[in-house]
Amino acid sequence: MSDLSELYQQVILDHNKAPRNFREVPDANRTADGDNPLCGDRITLWVKVTDGVIEDVGFQGQGCAISQASASVMTTVVKGKTVVEAEKLFRAFHGMVTGTAEPDRTTLGVKLVAFSGVKEFPARVKCANLPWHTLHAALTNGDGITLE
Ligand code: ZN
């Protein structure tokens, strides 16, 4: 087992067992629902944006370990970032798990790069991507998204 797939296992186990920011944000001004019917993953995301900065973010959801762990890690990473930075992370993460871009370690950091392991399980790419698509929807139009 490579170091990266070991890290992938660790991050997913840890964040699935003890999800971070697993709560509604009462004064959120952006929200979106994400749905991945292929796997049965659902996520509701609340974001509080002030002056272009993600001041607070929380999620609730249910589904497989990858989707929930990905949401948990995402909230820890984007909190305190600007909306522009979060969108850049979304694109870098999306490129990494779909295999269209090499993992950008500088942009993503080690916890997100751990999810590059999902490439080995094509059916799980949407699980890892769901929280990020939901964040993108919350930050742009606030509509829900359903991955197809
Ligand atoms: Zn899933």
Side-chain angles (χ1 to χ4, degrees):
M1 194 183 263
S2 71
D3 286 352
L4 198 58
S5 59
E6 213 165 280
L7 180 67
Y8 170 72
Q9 301 280 355
Q10 277 173 13
V11 168
I12 287 177
L13 282 175
D14 172 31
H15 280 262
N16 185 52
K17 201 164 78 178
R20 320 298 200 271
N21 303 304
F22 193 83
R23 58 184 166 81
E24 191 175 337
V25 175
D27 55 351
N29 50 15
R30 314 286 174 91
T31 182
D33 295 311
D35 193 6
N36 176 22
L38 274 177
C39 181
D41 308 317
R42 301 181 80 94
I43 279 174
T44 301
L45 193 70
W46 292 271
V47 191
K48 186 188 178 192
V49 177
T50 308
D51 297 331
V53 174
I54 297 172
E55 208 175 291
D56 200 3
V57 54
F59 81 101
Q60 288 187 335
Q62 56 191 40
C64 70
I66 293 170
S67 66
Q68 303 303 302
S70 178
S72 173
V73 173
M74 182 189 77
T75 61
T76 65
V77 171
V78 300
K79 200 167 169 177
K81 296 263 194 313
T82 66
V83 170
V84 173
E85 287 167 338
E87 290 286 339
K88 190 178 169 196
L89 283 167
F90 163 67
R91 287 189 298 274
F93 187 86
H94 188 269
M96 176 184 76
V97 294
T98 55
T100 55
E102 284 300 307
D104 178 350
R105 286 165 188 270
T106 315
T107 301
L108 291 165
V110 68
K111 284 247 164 91
L112 291 178
V113 167
F115 282 88
S116 64
V118 85
K119 268 190 305 191
E120 292 165 43
F121 312 96
R124 291 311 174 96
V125 167
K126 283 177 179 153
C127 305
N129 253 335
L130 178 67
W132 288 93
H133 280 289
T134 310
L135 176 69
H136 178 66
L139 293 176
T140 50
N141 56 29
D143 291 335
I145 57 119
T146 300
L147 298 183
E148 285 168 11

